[in-house]
Every structure is written in C-alpha cells, then in structure tokens.
Amino acid sequence: MRAAVVREFNEDLSIEDVADPSCPRNGVVLEVAACGVCRSDFHGWVGGHPKVVNGSVMGHEYCGTVVEAGAQAKYKVGDNLIAPFILGCGDCPACQTGMSNTCESAIVPGFGAPGAYAQYVAVPYDHNLVHLPLSMSPALAAGLGCRVTTAWHALTDRANVRAGEWVAVHGTGGIGLSSLLLAKMLGARVIVVDIVEEKLSHALSLGADAALNAASENAAERIREITGGGAQVSIEALGIEATTNASVECLATLGRHVHVGLPAGDGVMQINMRAIYSKQLSFFGTRGMPSWKYPNLLSMIERGEVDLSPMLDREVGLSDASAELRAMRGPTPPGTAVITDFLG
Ligand SMILES: [Zn+2]
Ligand SMILES: [Zn+2]
C-alpha cells in the first residue's frame, strides 16, 4: 500500500510502497477514506514527540471501511467506521469505569503504531469505533476522532460549562474552532484569541461573541474587561507558554483552565502560579474522550444541533501532507486539511 513515512524530521514525508497491515485478532483493517492533518502530527514531524521516529507513519484522525476483520472483532467487512484516536483496551479498571481515554494499555495509531497517512490502517480494540452516520462526509468525520471529541470532553466533562458562562478559547485551530462551535451550542458566550486576523473574522462569522488579536493587544486584560472580571472557563488549544499564561490570567476567581493543546517541546513552561493561587483556579489537563460518549455527540451533530462543517477547509492528497505540516511552522489559515486522496 501507499503510505507517507517519516524519514527525517522537518523534511517532506517519504511517499513509499509499504507492506499492507496485518489484521489484529481483536480488531479490523480499515481502508482509509479520510485522515486529518493535526497539529499533534506537526509536533511529531519536527521531532518533538517521542513516539514519532524514522519509519513512523502518522495519522490519528481517520475513518474508513472495514476490509478485514479479526476473529474477535466487533465489526464486519463493509462497515464504515470512525475511530477515536485513543483506543482503550476495554479490560482495565480505567476502561471498565468509563474512562478509556486514560487507559494505560491504550493504542494510538499514528503515535507508536502505524497511522492512517496510508491507504490502510490496522485498528485493534475495535469496540472503540462507531458507525459513520450516512449524512456525514468522511472528510468531516475524520476530524471528529481527535479535535471535536477532545473539545467536547474538555467542555462538558472537565470544565462542566454551563449556559450563560463566558468561555475563552486561546488558539483557533481544530480544537479551538470545535470548542467555539460546541460551547455556543451549550449556551455559553465565547471569546476567541488568535494572532491571525482572518481566523478571528472567521470565528466571528461562526458566532464568537468577541475575537481578540494577541499580537496587538493584551488578550487576558481585554477578556477581563469584556467579561466584567474574567471568563469562567478558558480553553488552551495550542500548547505553548504564552497562551497558557493568557489563559490563567484571563479567568475570573474560581475559574477553570482546561489544558488541551499538546505541550510543545519537553512541556516545561513558566506559568503564572500567582494567578492560579490568588484566584483559586482549577487547572485541568485533558486528552481525548472516552469512546462511550461518541453516540450522544454524533446524534447532536446528525440532528443539526451544531454544524461542524466550517472546521473543514480543504481536502488534499497524501503527498500534500508535508506542505500542510510545513505550513504549521507559522500562522495558518482558518479550518483544517484532511487527506482524502491516498493516491494523489
Ligand atoms: Zn489530532
Ligand atoms: Zn484499558
């Protein structure tokens, strides 16, 4: 099969013919219909993720059709499925208490196992997967497994956002845009922060109540002004020191910071602890979403409660993935890229 392989960090992915994946007993092989290009992949591509090495195939935001099913698989050949990026084992205490996104035996294709920047991907623990709704395009569905589910879990489970609260969103990439759209659906008021004007106007057109450019103004100060004392919830959706500090500094007393952005580099940052201490903030980390929450989220999307189509900006070929990763070195345009042509 054709795959985009990491050979040297910061260099174009190598488009190679590699062996087809063998089917796990407890899972399936999918023919990949679509795979999102995510900022987490960028961290791997620059050498900042310990599980991305020479020979890795990235790609953790995928959906596709079952072409082979193992003896113990839940699904069968022909099923169209979406995968959450964290595949919980199903047997450990975390999985059995509904927290499969914290499973210590979890497998994440694209990070330590071959991912979906390829024509086929092996997916063990297929009980984590869900049927792709007929009304949803694979390109849109591909982004669900990572950014939308992560944002949904951050808002509903970690921050427990309530209608009428102010939610600040730092960074308007995939996670940030999902957070905006989902927080609005929950009845929150949302302020987005970015450094690209085009992304700010895009966010305003999608219902953001305010949009701030952190390159030209002090985002935390402005958020405290606009909200009359600070946001109740702040989503950090980039993973760098500046946005983490802006996030804790923009919060009201007893506010909740949710850290969603994969921390850059070794993850060590200088954080304004005085803000956390004196405002008695909660500081949540979060990663992924337990797969049992998928059906409710999908049904809200299917019923039209929230329109996620603005998240998808462009469909690209496998050989274009390198250019998408390269572009993430600097500010990127609104919306995300999804690979839908695995021969192009
Ligand atoms: Zn992702
Ligand atoms: Zn488990």
Side-chain angles (χ1 to χ4, degrees), residues 2-328:
R2 207 153 172 265
V5 184
V6 176
R7 287 298 171 199
E8 277 194 69
F9 296 135
N10 300 300
E11 294 297 330
D12 279 2
L13 300 173
S14 161
I15 305 295
E16 299 178 9
D17 282 319
V18 303
D20 288 352
S22 54
C23 186
R25 271 185 74 75
N26 59 355
V28 296
V29 173
L30 296 181
E31 178 173 10
V32 182
C35 181
V37 181
C38 178
R39 187 161 283 274
S40 303
D41 299 332
F42 172 79
H43 290 306
W45 177 70
V46 298
H49 195 294
K51 290 191 173 164
V52 176
V53 295
N54 178 5
S56 291
V57 175
M58 300 194 293
H60 58 277
E61 305 188 347
Y62 54 95
C63 60
T65 307
V66 177
V67 291
E68 204 179 338
Q72 295 159 357
K74 172 179 171 182
Y75 291 102
K76 58 181 195 313
V77 172
D79 285 345
N80 291 312
L81 305 173
I82 317 175
F85 74 99
I86 300 172
L87 302 169
C89 74
D91 282 328
C92 71
C95 285
Q96 296 206 327
T97 52
M99 296 180 286
S100 59
N101 60 322
T102 67
C103 170
E104 288 188 2
S105 312
I107 293 172
V108 182
F111 293 105
Y117 281 13
Q119 287 178 283
Y120 300 95
V121 63
V123 188
Y125 301 143
D126 70 328
H127 58 267
N128 290 278
L129 277 63
V130 291
H131 285 285
L132 171 69
L134 285 175
S135 59
M136 196 178 289
S137 75
L140 184 58
L144 293 180
C146 172
R147 34 197 107 187
V148 176
T149 54
T150 298
W152 181 241
H153 191 61
L155 292 167
T156 58
D157 195 278
R158 309 300 276 156
N160 191 16
V161 170
R162 292 181 287 263
E165 289 191 314
W166 279 106
V167 175
V169 178
H170 302 264
T172 58
I175 291 279
L177 267 189
S178 319
S179 300
L180 161 64
L181 296 167
L182 295 168
K184 289 303 291 182
M185 181 184 74
L186 293 168
R189 290 176 285 177
V190 182
I191 304 181
V192 299
V193 183
D194 208 288
I195 54 168
V196 181
E197 277 301 329
E198 192 190 351
K199 284 164 113 168
L200 295 172
S201 42
H202 184 235
L204 284 171
S205 75
L206 298 176
D209 296 274
L212 305 175
N213 191 329
S216 57
E217 54 194 333
N218 182 324
E221 209 172 277
R222 287 284 294 129
I223 291 169
R224 291 196 303 271
E225 275 168 27
I226 293 168
T227 57
Q232 281 72 46
V233 171
S234 184
I235 304 287
E236 198 288 338
L238 198 59
I240 63 170
E241 190 171 291
T243 44
T244 306
N245 278 311
S247 175
V248 297
E249 288 166 3
C250 81
L251 282 166
T253 303
L254 296 177
R256 292 100 79 196
H257 164 98
V258 189
H259 205 90
V260 186
L262 177 67
D266 62 6
V268 177
M269 300 178 193
Q270 264 197 322
I271 302 304
N272 183 347
M273 287 305 296
R274 190 171 292 276
I276 295 178
Y277 171 80
S278 59
K279 292 189 286 185
Q280 305 185 49
L281 305 180
S282 301
F283 194 106
F284 293 99
T286 197
R287 178 169 173 262
M289 176 189 87
S291 47
W292 66 265
K293 294 178 76 176
Y294 242 131
N296 287 357
L297 175 62
L298 284 175
S299 107
M300 282 183 294
I301 299 168
E302 276 192 282
R303 280 181 284 125
E305 303 282 327
V306 59
D307 176 14
L308 296 170
S309 59
M311 291 185 42
L312 175 64
D313 185 57
R314 53 206 177 276
E315 296 185 30
V316 301
L318 188 61
S319 53
D320 301 320
S322 305
E324 295 293 339
L325 294 170
R326 210 175 278 287
M328 289 183 192

